[in-house]
Amino acid sequence: NAGVTQTPKFQVLKTGQSMTLQCAQDMNHNSMYWYRQDPGMGLRLIYYSASEGTTDKGEVPNGYNVSRLNKREFSLRLESAAPSQTSVYFCASSSRTGNTEAFFGQGTRLTVV
Amino acid sequence: LAKTTQPISMDSYEGQEVNITCSHNNIATNDYITWYQQFPSQGPRFIIQGYKTKVTNEVASLFIPADRKSSTLSLPRVSLSDTAVYYCLVGVILTGGGNKLTFGTGTQLKVEL
């Protein structure tokens, strides 16, 4: 099993450009999440999807949009990238049951210049 | 959401037991307590989860007092490879499934010879 797969692993954008970060999980999990991690900081929740067909804002949703395409895939879109969005982005998934174990992808390192 | 407070950093030596305490005074009845480990350039990895009393698995123990306002992660006989950031989370089980996990800044554990 691949677990949680994120693409791309690295990306450089110019200010104002748009892009979509892709995430897919093969564990049949209901819930998926997008986090960002700035250097030396903890993870901050951007958006999450408790189940297929639902999405909700986390702590830092401004400047981002998400799509829960199906149960496997949860994408994060930056419509107009800004230098403040330079960060490492992690996607995660977890099961529906009363279990707080989440599985994380390897991350996407995004630089906006 | 319950806020967590944990030490910014801790130092230890190989073979010692390490105890990292986390404070979560506003924990709600339905909240679970979860600990994650993160190595540089990797996504966080689940270590252990508990609701009350003591939980033990192959890598750690989690001690939760009766009032659940704090918890202690215990790592027995640490090695250099345990050098990482450790996050204490208090998770909310969402209506409709999934868990909303909020990360704090974590504790940087450094293990030396």
Side-chain angles (χ1 to χ4, degrees):
Chain A
N1 284 343
V4 178
T5 303
Q6 293 182 233
T7 55
K9 287 186 172 53
F10 301 93
Q11 183 71 49
V12 179
L13 288 179
K14 294 182 179 178
T15 297
Q17 287 186 319
S18 62
M19 80 161 293
T20 300
L21 281 63
Q22 306 286 353
C23 175
Q25 53 91 11
D26 61 4
M27 296 172 282
N28 200 37
H29 284 167
N30 282 292
S31 302
M32 299 186 73
Y33 315 82
W34 277 104
Y35 290 89
R36 62 176 286 177
Q37 186 172 34
D38 299 330
M41 305 290 288
L43 284 78
R44 291 185 291 171
L45 182 63
I46 306 172
Y47 271 93
Y48 64 98
S49 172
S51 59
E52 187 179 356
T54 68
T55 60
D56 283 288
K57 296 178 180 179
E59 303 169 77
V60 288
N62 291 344
Y64 305 94
N65 285 302
V66 291
S67 295
R68 183 73 183 267
L69 304 171
N70 47 55
K71 192 171 186 178
R72 288 187 65 246
E73 299 172 288
F74 189 38
S75 63
L76 178 72
R77 182 161 178 83
L78 287 71
E79 291 292 349
S80 178
S84 61
Q85 294 178 304
T86 293
S87 190
V88 179
Y89 291 83
F90 289 102
C91 176
S93 70
S94 68
S95 66
R96 179 188 180 100
T97 57
N99 184 335
T100 52
E101 180 174 8
F103 295 82
F104 284 77
Q106 286 293 89
T108 296
R109 189 172 298 273
L110 175 67
T111 301
V112 182
V113 298
Chain B
L1 293 175
K3 180 180 170 60
T4 60
T5 303
Q6 53 185 121
I8 293 174
S9 64
M10 295 182 69
D11 294 327
S12 185
Y13 294 95
E14 275 203 318
Q16 289 191 332
E17 178 184 78
V18 171
N19 296 308
I20 307 175
T21 297
C22 178
S23 171
H24 28 79
N25 290 319
N26 296 324
I27 190 168
T29 303
N30 293 336
D31 287 344
Y32 284 77
I33 299 157
T34 313
W35 286 80
Y36 281 79
Q37 175 192 56
Q38 186 180 28
F39 297 112
S41 301
Q42 293 186 25
R45 185 172 69 105
F46 172 89
I47 301 174
I48 196 166
Q49 169 197 294
Y51 185 79
K52 60 181 178 180
T53 65
K54 176 184 175 182
V55 180
T56 298
N57 62 21
E58 63 275 9
V59 298
S61 294
L62 179 59
F63 298 92
I64 305 169
D67 66 5
R68 303 198 329 121
K69 293 184 184 299
S70 67
S71 59
T72 299
L73 175 72
S74 180
L75 304 172
R77 298 178 299 281
V78 295
S79 65
L80 293 175
S81 62
D82 292 315
T83 294
V85 178
Y86 291 82
Y87 294 98
C88 166
L89 284 74
V90 177
V92 176
I93 308 299
L94 299 168
T95 301
N99 314 284
K100 187 173 181 180
L101 302 176
T102 302
F103 286 76
T105 52
T107 298
Q108 173 67 63
L109 173 65
K110 182 179 179 182
V111 180
E112 300 176 282
L113 287 172

